[in-house]
Amino acid sequence: MAEETKDAARNSPIGVLTSIGVSAVFGFFLILCLLFSIQDFADVAAPTSGNSVLQILLSIFSEDGAIVLFTVVLICVWHCGLFSLTSNSRMMFGFARDHGIPHWFAHVDKRFKSPVRTIWLAAFLAFCLGIPSLGSSVAFTAATSIATIGLYISYTLPILEGLIWPQHFHKGPFNLGVASRPIALVACLWVAFICVAFCLPQQNPVTSTTLNYTPVCVGIVALWSVGSWFAFARRYYKGPVAQLEAEAMGIDVGDPAVLAKAEEDGLIDDSKFAGHKEREA
């Protein structure tokens, strides 16, 4: 998504920090409202409706009012899924453009101006991941835990790299200054904790049907990623396209024609921008 942002090196981190601040404020007041609305803690702890939030709404509104408010919640959740699909499809497009996955997916539809192929790919993979959840609450917990842990790990790896090898980490025009390393340390410790927490069993006693299979699934993905890299991926995957470097040179990275002209003039490395011509199609 940063590639579609003007002055991404500065505006993207500002957007991240803004989203954290806004979410923290609104989330805090939402939690306060829910907590002060609890009429009977025992009912919320063991909700007859199957959902604690819905049980709170039922206790302070009529059934019709609770359904209306919970519908609003479901609409918000649907939009969260839509935003995840949008970011996921853009990530897949960038990965395909850089030859991390089949280059056929590095295509922007001429009519919709969007990477339609990777949108369908992301939707299909999410559908496949959700199928086991239809018959098992344990599978649903594992699927959501995998998504959460995967996001946390992907976010934290660059932070951990900068923390361990600061000499290899080049700060951008927007950075946290002297607070960078303390915040990076806290972030890494938090991710380590949350990964363990999401791998713990959700029910007791632990049996074959209540076991949290998240560590198994995450381990399979990790083994495949590392194994495929050493087996074949390192031969053709050379890293991401240097969009930010081109932007720092004053090149409009949002215009494929400008990038093509910069290549012809020798201002940028053609190999780093392989696939941008596909975007014109």
Side-chain angles (χ1 to χ4, degrees), residues 8-26:
R10 183 180 301 276
N11 290 330
S12 291
I14 292 176
V16 171
L17 291 178
T18 302
S19 67
I20 293 174
V22 172
S23 299
V25 172
F26 280 91

Side-chain angles (χ1 to χ4, degrees), residues 41-232:
F41 181 78
D43 288 342
V44 176
T48 56
S49 61
N51 184 281
S52 297
V53 174
L54 180 58
Q55 192 66 37
I56 294 175
L57 297 179
L58 285 170
S59 65
I60 56 178
F61 296 100
S62 64
E63 181 176 338
D64 293 338
I67 292 175
V68 171
L69 290 177
F70 206 69
T71 300
V72 175
V73 174
L74 293 178
I75 293 175
C76 293
V77 172
W78 181 82
H79 279 91
C80 288
L82 185 62
F83 298 150
S84 297
L85 181 65
T86 301
S87 60
N88 195 17
S89 63
R90 265 57 177 184
M91 179 199 67
M92 288 181 173
F93 168 81
F95 207 37
R97 178 199 56 204
D98 302 332
H99 305 283
I101 60 177
H103 194 65
W104 183 81
F105 290 105
H107 171 79
V108 174
D109 186 81
K110 187 175 182 180
R111 176 185 177 187
F112 296 104
K113 308 296 183 183
S114 299
V116 175
R117 295 175 184 175
T118 53
I119 290 174
W120 280 109
L121 175 62
F124 174 74
L125 294 177
F127 175 79
C128 293
L129 184 61
I131 288 178
S133 303
L134 297 177
S136 172
S137 59
V138 176
F140 176 78
T141 301
T144 54
S145 297
I146 292 169
T148 303
I149 292 176
L151 283 175
Y152 272 117
I153 292 176
S154 65
Y155 293 157
T156 308
L157 286 177
I159 300 175
L160 183 62
E161 179 185 0
L163 187 63
I164 298 176
W165 298 289
Q167 68 275 15
H168 298 156
F169 188 80
H170 303 285
K171 293 184 177 180
F174 180 91
N175 60 78
L176 299 175
V178 295
S180 294
R181 290 183 64 80
I183 292 178
L185 178 60
V186 172
C188 292
L189 293 176
W190 166 252
V191 170
F193 166 76
I194 205 68
C195 286
V196 174
F198 272 95
C199 289
L200 295 176
Q202 302 295 314
Q203 301 180 29
N204 191 42
V206 179
T207 64
S208 59
T209 57
T210 60
L211 177 66
N212 189 346
Y213 291 94
T214 300
V216 178
C217 298
V218 173
I220 292 174
V221 173
L223 287 175
W224 164 255
S225 300
V226 176
S228 61
W229 168 256
F230 286 103
F232 55 85

Side-chain angles (χ1 to χ4, degrees), residues 259-260 262-264 266-277:
L259 287 177
E263 285 183 11
E264 295 174 0
L267 297 177
I268 55 179
D269 186 357
D270 180 80
S271 63
K272 291 183 178 181
F273 286 83
H276 73 82
K277 294 179 181 179

